[in-house]
Amino acid sequence: MKTSRRTFLQSTAGIAGLLLLGGRKSEASRLQVNPDQYGVLVDTTRCVGCRNCEKACNEINEDLPRRPAEWFKDETVFKEKRRMDYGAYTVVNRCESESGSKPYFTKFQCMHCLYPACVSACIVGAFTREPNGAVIYDAWKCIGCRYCMAACPFQVPAYEFGNVLTPQVRKCTFCFQTRLVKGGVPACVESCPMEVMTFGKRTDLIMLGRERIRSSPGQYVPHIYGEQEVGGTSWLYISGMPFEAAGFPALGYHPAPGFTEPIQHTIFKWFLPPIGLYATLGGVMWYLRNRKKGKNSNPDVNGRES
Amino acid sequence: MNKKWLALVVMASFCICLGIIGKKSGVSSEEVAVDAVVQESGITEETLAPDVQPPAVEKKELPERPRFITLPELFKELERAPVQFNHDRHARTLEKDGCTLCHPKNEDEKLLFTFPKERDESDKDALMNSYHDTCIACHQEKTGAGEKGGPVTCGECHVIGEEYLKREYLPVMPEYYEVLRDTYHKDCISCHQEPAKAAEDAGGLDWKAFYVKERALTEDAWPKVLFDYLIHDKHSKTLEEKCELCHYISPERKAQLAAEGKEPACKDWLKEIDENNSLTEEESAHFRCLNCHFERKERNEKGGPLYCNECHTGTERTIEEMADVSRQDCEQEEKILIMIEEGSRAKGVPFNHKGHQDKTRSCQDCHHQTIRPCIECHSVEGCEEGDGITLAEAYHEASSPWSCIGCHEIEKKKADCAGCHHRLKGGLVESSCGTCHTGERASLEAARKLPDPKDLFPEDLEDELEIKVLENEYQPSKVKHLQILRKLTDISNESKLAQHFHVEENTVCAGCHHLGPLEKRAQVPSCATCHTVRKEPESATPTLLGAYHQQCLGCHKQMGGKEEDMPQTCTGCHEEKKETQVQAVK
């Protein structure tokens, strides 16, 4: 095979062009944040730990294992700090406040990040972020690699380890299919007797949160958790007790995928590493084989092979 | 020929690939740096977590704490980590050498608590050298003489201690917000954003820098000493020439009073300021207190504390602990009418000075450091001496613990009061002026106790209510209306503050019926008038379900009562229905 100067230049330019196309900017940070997207403001000072939200969540999500109504009235679950698992999209935890006397409750679920690390980490695109704010999961696409679980800064996605044949990753759906697309509000929001949660446009909720903090000085920690954490989340929290003590991780304000994605995507775009690797190996093999051939054969005086 | 071209193609593609990756990481280098900082802080906090307590608690009850020598106004930017200086450890080790080892004396043979003796503040290097010369020379001398010496190399003193890192990276704490919780500051981060570029309006400080700066001012120093009524009482009982020792009166004023045949009264002492004596508050306290304590010790008299942590304990006596301590007789009228000028638009405010003395820990709880009437510093228009805070602000600023309203706001957060008040609008409410500005002293005299609610509404007060509007899964809720009213009436009648401010006989009704005190039952609007059963979109008003639960459980939670008195669980208020009943309703 003879490579002309022209084909060489063409192929080099082609490869360079492909590389430039790939991973110009991180996938997640390219996502447009819809200013009208929904969110939920959770005012944890109101929560009394009745677990009605857990119950409503279990009722509406038929994928979850059924639990009897009595189980949601059992207060002994508060003895330990629970986490979301394959059986629950949301949990309420109790933490003792500093003064000791008043118990303090906090509801946890997927935060539905504006720049979700799970979407970025998923290699098959099983996670998507909807324009209305929900980060949802498609079990049909999932290959069970559990990269999402490692990537999530809040450690939300859980895995159905008990199910051998068709295990799924489980996390809060924001009631996307069941309620949001029908114009409803998430089941937990509706079920709460204390109206701890307010559903609305995220921008409005930030204003509402600020107003609450401002109008009751001293009652809240002056911070809306999720307004800026990891680039912002759809679920926002205001609290009367320091967030770290209430069980929230201390995170920076930069989206988690912002740093990892450009590198990861540049390297893996268009299968470049395997192509590069095999091209190199192939090149080496070809060179070695040719050299051997050259040694074995006896070139004549004119340099022609016999 | 072929080989060369193929090798070139492979090489070129790799070079381009590497170049682009390199470029990518170049672009995100800023992010990398920030992430690194975040990570670093995370790690330090984690590793700090087990021993965040002040490190040197050596078999003593009182904590020793190091002082960071940073002096930002003189040193500006530090080249090395600030020195953690432990004064008490030095003072106890060098007790036999005495204070004069480090501190100079003035002409009157009084100790001056400055350091070093030859302090040269002419420039940064001079000041640095005066510290280095003094400290290192002494450490070397002590080690040479076979005694316990100190460090002599740079890194031994300039250590990035855990305390410093902790302070640098700790997130903003809620108690800090208490100081700055006025409307302008909102939350620190809304102005002091990160990165600093976004915070240009806020003096170019991102929140971390802002936090470190403020913390350096507020936390670096020892906890302040509150010279409370008990300490004052001890001093005035023990010492003979009481007032002169600490307070000042000008010779002219003293002569004037002597000519009138009077002894100077408390308020005469407090009004005067020694203008020649321009020591700062800190210098003045150390100069006066410690010199006196040392002199008494030398004379083998009963003296006061000599070490830092004996005064700066960080704990303050409560009002209850000082209930039996006699308050200063300041020859102030017991009940006064605060009236700025005759015929002003607002009527005067009757004020019980004695009553407030009983409910404070020291005069300084209201009077700051120089105990003078408010108006002398806080003029009507505001002046420099009062930090530009006008008289009206000094009385009314709801966010300040010094002002009348601000202090009353803090009182309202106590469990007994918070049940009702946490949902009522605080601070200055429109039309509430007349509550204080009555213009007559007589309103202080009247013992306004609320009558029993049954006497107030003999006919139409319900003893027990049944709420069944939302009856579905649960049985109707029975509210012990009269019992609740009586409990709240008792709380109000026990508190002097509430007695004064709960003017209307039916004040406690407003705790739940929050449109205002009600005169007749007919005036009680149904909760469902505003709180609709279905959630109205875009409405911040709670639904009926939310309103009931927030009202009842919110109050129970704030008052922190026992489960049987103030239930905080579902079945505490309403029993559960059986399955069949629920279905029937549906």
Side-chain angles (χ1 to χ4, degrees), chain B residues 140 233 283 321 376 383 394 396 421 460 492 532:
Chain B
Q140 278 173 336
D233 198 43
E283 288 166 343
E321 283 171 345
E376 283 189 16
C383 61
H396 298 117
H421 281 284
D460 45 9
S492 170
T532 50

Side-chain angles (χ1 to χ4, degrees), chain B residues 508-580:
Chain B
V508 290
C509 303
C512 298
H513 301 283
H514 53 86
L515 287 177
L518 308 149
E519 279 161 26
K520 283 180 189 156
R521 190 179 180 279
Q523 286 184 337
V524 182
S526 158
C527 303
T529 313
C530 302
H531 300 288
T532 50
V533 177
R534 284 179 67 84
K535 180 81 184 169
E536 300 290 331
E538 316 274 317
S539 161
T541 314
T543 62
L544 193 58
L545 179 84
Y548 278 136
H549 284 101
Q550 281 174 21
Q551 188 79 272
C552 300
L553 286 173
C555 178
H556 292 180
K557 207 176 166 188
Q558 290 293 329
M559 294 182 77
K562 289 175 194 155
E563 177 65 25
E564 53 268 30
D565 301 335
M566 301 176 193
Q568 287 181 42
T569 55
C570 308
T571 46
C573 295
H574 31 54
E575 282 173 30
E576 214 172 326
K577 271 188 183 171
K578 283 172 193 153
E579 198 76 2
T580 47

Side-chain angles (χ1 to χ4, degrees), chain B residues 270-442:
Chain B
L270 303 173
K271 264 186 184 172
E272 306 277 350
I273 303 171
D274 183 359
E275 278 167 9
N276 299 325
N277 195 344
S278 58
L279 294 171
T280 65
E281 185 193 312
E282 184 188 330
E283 288 166 343
S284 147
H286 286 149
F287 180 72
R288 283 164 205 244
C289 301
L290 281 172
N291 269 308
C292 192
H293 291 177
F294 276 120
E295 281 164 23
R296 289 182 70 85
K297 194 193 166 203
E298 275 170 26
R299 296 200 298 268
N300 282 327
E301 286 171 323
K302 196 187 165 205
L306 302 171
Y307 293 105
C308 305
N309 59 3
E310 290 174 336
C311 281
H312 299 270
T313 54
T315 50
E316 293 177 357
R317 267 175 288 272
T318 60
I319 296 160
E320 289 74 33
E321 283 171 345
M322 287 191 288
D324 302 329
V325 177
S326 69
R327 305 309 201 224
Q328 275 101 302
D329 174 23
C330 48
E331 297 181 25
Q332 163 80 52
E333 265 183 274
E334 212 173 278
K335 287 166 187 172
I336 50 173
L337 188 70
I338 302 174
M339 190 78 196
I340 306 310
E341 55 188 82
E342 286 300 319
S344 62
R345 203 170 291 171
K347 290 178 186 169
V349 176
F351 178 72
N352 186 344
H353 191 265
K354 177 76 177 57
H356 282 82
Q357 269 190 312
D358 290 342
K359 291 286 178 192
T360 47
R361 298 164 304 166
S362 84
C363 302
Q364 291 153 23
D365 277 6
C366 302
H367 284 283
H368 309 288
Q369 290 303 322
T370 48
I371 299 175
R372 297 152 74 192
C374 312
I375 196 168
E376 283 189 16
C377 301
H378 300 294
S379 67
V380 176
E381 289 85 18
C383 61
E384 207 176 312
E385 203 182 355
D387 285 341
I389 294 164
T390 65
L391 189 63
E393 283 169 348
Y395 285 132
H396 298 117
E397 180 53 58
S399 63
S400 161
W402 301 101
S403 76
C404 306
I405 304 234
C407 187
H408 288 170
E409 283 297 311
I410 294 170
E411 286 295 308
K412 287 197 285 193
K413 292 210 167 64
K414 292 186 176 164
D416 273 351
C417 311
C420 293
H421 281 284
H422 89 283
R423 295 208 55 81
L424 298 175
K425 201 177 173 194
L428 277 178
V429 188
E430 289 161 32
S431 79
S432 67
C433 307
T435 321
C436 297
H437 291 271
T438 56
E440 47 189 48
R441 224 171 290 203

